Amino acid sequence: MKKIEFSNVSLTYDDDGTVYNALNQMNFSVEQGEFVSIIGSSGCGKSSTLSILAGLREPTEGQYLIDGKVSHGTGRNRGVVFQHYSLFPWMRADENIAFGIKQAFPETTDKEAADIAKEYLEKVGLAGFGKKYPYQLSGGMQQRTAIARTLAMQPEILLLDEPFGAIDARNRILLQDLLLEVLGKEKEKKTIVFVTHDVDEAILLSDRILFMDKKRILEEFEVPFSRPRKREEIFQSRDYINLRQSLLSCFFSGIQEKIGGEEVVL
Amino acid sequence: MKKIEFSNVSLTYDDDGTVYNALNQMNFSVEQGEFVSIIGSSGCGKSSTLSILAGLREPTEGQYLIDGKVSHGTGRNRGVVFQHYSLFPWMRADENIAFGIKQAFPETTDKEAADIAKEYLEKVGLAGFGKKYPYQLSGGMQQRTAIARTLAMQPEILLLDEPFGAIDARNRILLQDLLLEVLGKEKEKKTIVFVTHDVDEAILLSDRILFMDKKRILEEFEVPFSRPRKREEIFQSRDYINLRQSLLSCFFSGIQEKIGGEEVVL
Amino acid sequence: MTTAALEEKKRFSFSWPAVQWFIPHVLFAVLLALIFTPGADDSTPHGAFLAVLGISEAALLINRKSRALTDIMTILYLLFIAWEFGTTKADSVNLLLYPSPAKVFAIFASDWHKILDGIRSSMYLLGVGFTLALVLGVLLGILTGSVARLRDSLLPLAKVISPIPPIIYTPYAVAVLPTFEIASIFVIFSSIFWQIYIQTALSVSGIDKKLLDSAKTMNLSAPAMFFHVLWPYCLPNIMKTLPISVANAFMVLTAAEMIGATSGLGYFVRYYADFADYTRVISGIIIIGIVVSVLNYGIAELERKVVRWH
Amino acid sequence: MTTAALEEKKRFSFSWPAVQWFIPHVLFAVLLALIFTPGADDSTPHGAFLAVLGISEAALLINRKSRALTDIMTILYLLFIAWEFGTTKADSVNLLLYPSPAKVFAIFASDWHKILDGIRSSMYLLGVGFTLALVLGVLLGILTGSVARLRDSLLPLAKVISPIPPIIYTPYAVAVLPTFEIASIFVIFSSIFWQIYIQTALSVSGIDKKLLDSAKTMNLSAPAMFFHVLWPYCLPNIMKTLPISVANAFMVLTAAEMIGATSGLGYFVRYYADFADYTRVISGIIIIGIVVSVLNYGIAELERKVVRWH
Amino acid sequence: GGTKSASKDGAGEPLEVQINTNRVSSALTVLAENGGFNKEENIKVNLHVMNVAYADILSALSSNKVHVTTGGVGSTAPLRMMENGADFVVIGGQMGEGADIVTLPERAKEWENITAETVKGKKIGVVRTASGDIALRGALSRMGIDLSTIEYVELGNEPAIIEAIKKGELDAGNVQANLRDTAHQAGLVSALHVDKVSPNFICCRVLTRPETLKTRRSDLVHFMRAQLKAYRYLHTHQDEALALINKSIEVDEKVLRSQLFEDEHLKLEPDPTGKRVEEFYDSMKRVGYIEGKIDIKKQIDVSLYREALESLLKEEPNDPTWLKFRADYEKNNGAWS
Ligand SMILES: Nc1ncnc2c1ncn2[C@@H]1O[C@H](COP(=O)(O)OP(=O)(O)OP(=O)(O)O)[C@@H](O)[C@H]1O
Ligand SMILES: Nc1ncnc2c1ncn2[C@@H]1O[C@H](COP(=O)(O)OP(=O)(O)OP(=O)(O)O)[C@@H](O)[C@H]1O
Ligand SMILES: [Mg+2]
Ligand SMILES: [Mg+2]
């Protein structure tokens, strides 16, 4: 049994009459404990896919299954990290995490929640930053906190929508490494769907890469590296250069096609 | 005579008493018609450098020369494109450009300005999008418009502060190609200072890359590719892989150092 | 297939909205039944009231797709029913303070020339006072907001001056200003000027530094900076606070039109309040409500026209 | 070297700020000279006026590093000089309408018990009315703002109700509410409730969908959504509009304290306005200005304490 | 017709006159204008409607925006301002009396025989500075009643007083004539007409400034003549006068008629009643609204009225109206000379 299954999912946005079809008969599945990246150009429907998985939108057509059961609405079994607004600006870093814990496990006492929050802050390398408000943290630190909060809520499935999209190149490297490290330490392997624009990031992190275009999954790539992974080794391997080239050509083909045709969507 | 010369420039921010030293005895120069990228981690002072060049801040110490003359304040000889807020949200794309033209050349008639605006919109591949407001354009289209406006104001020097920092990977490729193409078509070669986080972008676009850290330029790299450049060729050449590796290791060394030492700045 | 699914979804969920659309019409029928049931106040002709109801029902039927209007009319009809019932069917009601709707709307028919005259003259006072307050408030507000030093010293003073009620300064206005009409206009002016001034100054001082930097690198002249950057930047915020200013202006209209006026909506309401003629007072308030709604609608339309950039 | 350069820069630009800091003190001296020059109104003892000037000069000397205070005092001293000159040195001024500063400040000394009493009782009315308006306005505002349907139907109605002046509804308040005091509180309540309600609703309805989505994915309960997301989201905006609400509340204080009150700042001002005793009216207004400033300062401090997340 | 003594000093300059239209107090001035009596006197009068706001009206007078005020101000605010140094002069009358104690019907008898005992502890609603309130309190004080034993509750307007009495929150209220019918409709009764204890008490007076008195004296005398003629017309041509007044005071005709003609307890007359002004000043002092530190007599100038009445008597020696005012003169103003 797959952990996640998308079966013929379509999504139509209806903005006061103007109807836009964002996903069209989409199918894919994710195994228990698998790390899957979705990559694709802007507007192809990645966030829409993730918002369905998160339970924020219901598919207009088709359905999606979690643990083999048709799923509706948000649920404690899923945790989400977005590019922005993942933290509540009015709570300090530790309060954000403790608040998440109290929501997921209402029976937790404030003291326990605070202790767990501290522990998770340490895990993401932010020991000592608990009393800072989000605005006092850099973008990278905010996303670390968001990851800590989501992990502290102990979901089985982790959904990440370009979590490092707004982080500069150097800190991005640190965060990728951190994510790999923290996930490696979790007792049970999480099932992960990770949306990104960055080809290197997708290769480094995931077991499988789904290339999305035309409102559905167009191609799949297995990532042939074993874990734990070392960045420098991967980036110098032949497999990496080939995989990267294939992924980039997916991108380019899309561009060529669009520039060739009349449709200019930038 | 160099086009731009930074001579012992220091910059200190004074926020109601809390003094922060952002640039420290910085020196570098840019030749007439040269394309120089500044690369460096977040907070190292890239934007501060550019804002001095743009004339938005005066150096606390030292001075900078343009065409051999000490320069102060903003001036018509420089055009700037930022990552955000480059366009006025309340003007349509063509109005933004025409407004820029009228500011730079007050004697231009409205009709002339509109015509030039249209011409530049075509140059950046936005023919037909002139009547759109910025919010109706994608990020990439907005930056195209911003580039068009800046070029239409005909500055000798172009200053770009992460102009593609908020654009997704695929459109970024398009914009980089566009920038190369448009600049190639200009009558006179512009002198360009380009700030970026993206190593590949820096290699692809520039003649020289300045690596910045510790509040000054730490290293310089010549980019050995002739123009016009072809992306695919460059990305498969040995020179590219070597240059990329050196640049990345600059980044990494910084990280290692910071993680090794106590200072964690993310 | 997708469209088909959508269709089905719509058909499926059709029942509840359909009921919703009917509610106001049912209430309308109830109201009519209530009106034609004999009650305490049958002497007053119901023509005007029925006309008002007819117009609102017609408006609702024409815009029957607007959910907001349907909801608003549902609320209004409920209020009308309560009002009609309370004043004509319930016992021992204070008919002085609570005149029946028929009585109130009959005033529209009997006093229409006074009301029209009142609207005209109030619109004149409001128009002049408002325009002045808007122009000066925005000009000075932008100036104050864009210079940190002016902001820090003038805003605290403005915040102290703004709560002075018109009743205090009208004698000075009368003494200093050349005519009573100008004094009236001044009362309206000062009831909204401070607010617009303070809000504009705060809004300008909140402008993103990056946007200003971007403008500066274009070497803008001072007038260009003012008219093409700061002013359009503030415009959406100004438009958003206009309805509050309109409300304030109408709030002081009764005070403004006590100075030398012989007509006006504020005069009308205040005049009959002095005679305890609450039938006319309430009809005046309803007229003010209608005028305010029309103005708010106009502002919203203007906003849509003028602020097109988001 | 950098620090040395900074030092030098400071030394170099020292001259003009130094002159600035002196200006209010020079004006203070001018004012004193003016006061002790014989003039039209030498009968009134100058003690209270001098005391006020002494206190403000002392405050300025203590906070002499504050540029804002220096500027404010410069403006105030200029106003004082104009006032003193206009009322005691210029000819043919109407001293009833324009009492001299000495006269006005002498009221502080003679009527201080009435003034203190007034502050106390006004603070009570304002405190209760304000708290109620704030709590209800925010609660209902958040509710209205977060449900598109409520927003579309209730906000247009609220915008129509909000401009009704208190003079119109006081008889109803007296008729319906059990005591005069409650009626007074109601007048204050309704002068600010609508504004807080409308603003909160607009502010909530402007919340970024992404933030809501983020909250939803955490499976928040309805109360958690309300108290931990929507309420803190609105808080900065509410704090920012509080000074305007304070201004409005003081604006209707004169109307509120006409209902059976025997003390209060609004009562004081209105009472003497009815007798056209402008000396006391102006002293009352100055007291109100001071109280409003203190409240605004308190609000700013509260904002700093409560809204610490940006 | 008395056109022969046309005024000269204004040389056709109009007289700017304040009136109020939210009660009948300026009715004579309105009638003098609308009935053509000002024209007959060859003076040009501009009427300015200013309702209720005492301070505004007095400010208009002291800044010379109007030359004469006639109504709305009552007499409390101007007398207090005079005490504080305002140089206003009372030159004529407009309205007198016209205030009732209203209460619930079953409590009306409490006001039949007023003693210190019957009024003790009563809660009475008043509108601050209302003439009727000051007149009543002055009268009670002169009867030897300690005013501090009565609780006065100041409400902003009469409808609020009426509602509060109905609810039992007040024992009684002092309302002015134009709200009397309203009170009766609301189920209250007039338990006491204030003029019963304070006969002929003053309400609105005609005020001007000494400077105007000097420069426009002749115009003002003609103004007073027009007022007297308006008074005569009001009582000889009731229906026509009513219609003329109703043009400016736009209240229901029935209400207007009852106040103008059927009310025994409201007087419209041009007589300045100088003695009543002095009495009112004394009442204000007793109530505590003033200290009484000026000689109020100096702010009253009845000579214009006397001159006007004298000239009319010369023209029509047998006119019953002129003779009536002549007869009342000594009682109201002192010696005729
Ligand atoms: N609420 C909405 N209403 C209407 N259309 C929408 C809405 N949200 C998204 N869309 C449209 O649906 C399409 C897919 O959007 P989506 O956000 O899923 O793309 P994405 O792949 O996440 O893009 P990006 O990489 O820019 O985040 C886009 O064309 C977008 O314009
Ligand atoms: N106005 C300011 N006041 C105080 N400190 C500032 C100010 N602007 C920038 N700084 C500080 O100066 C340093 C350099 O900032 P700068 O913006 O130049 O960095 P950057 O290299 O452009 O970073 P990024 O890549 O994130 O844009 C940073 O530590 C920043 O916090
Ligand atoms: Mg997305
Ligand atoms: Mg930067």
Side-chain angles (χ1 to χ4, degrees), chain D residues 96 174 177 258 260 267 277-278, chain E residues 55 80 86 154-156 167 169:
Chain D
L96 280 176
V174 169
L177 298 170
M258 260 181 1
Y267 175 84
D277 182 345
Y278 280 97
Chain E
R80 162 112 178 194
E154 293 176 336
L155 294 180
K167 271 169 59 195
E169 217 173 336

Side-chain angles (χ1 to χ4, degrees), chain C residues 121-130 181 184-185 188 253 256-257:
Chain C
S121 79
S122 290
M123 282 302 112
Y124 171 71
L125 288 184
L126 279 173
V128 178
F130 215 101
E181 194 175 83
S184 296
I185 290 171
I188 291 171
L253 202 57
E257 290 181 343

Side-chain angles (χ1 to χ4, degrees), chain C residues 20 71 97 149 168 171 278, chain D residues 20 71 97 149 171-172 269 278:
Chain C
Q20 291 181 335
D71 289 350
L97 276 184
R149 183 158 184 183
I168 301 306
Y278 281 94
Chain D
Q20 290 180 333
D71 289 349
L97 217 46
R149 182 157 183 186
Y172 296 93
V269 161
Y278 280 97

Side-chain angles (χ1 to χ4, degrees), chain E residues 27-62:
Chain E
L28 282 182
T29 308
V30 166
L31 184 56
E33 178 65 19
N34 292 357
F37 300 109
N38 288 330
K39 214 174 185 181
E40 207 174 288
E41 290 296 323
N42 217 358
I43 51 173
K44 189 164 172 359
V45 169
N46 289 335
L47 298 184
H48 299 279
V49 178
M50 293 180 84
N51 292 337
V52 175
Y54 310 93
D56 295 355
I57 297 171
L58 295 177
S59 170
L61 180 62
S62 59

Side-chain angles (χ1 to χ4, degrees), chain B residues 13 15 20 22 41-48 57 162 197:
Chain B
Y13 289 112
D15 277 357
Y20 181 80
S41 62
S42 192
C44 71
K46 303 182 295 298
S47 295
S48 302
R57 296 189 176 279
E162 297 186 51
H197 276 125

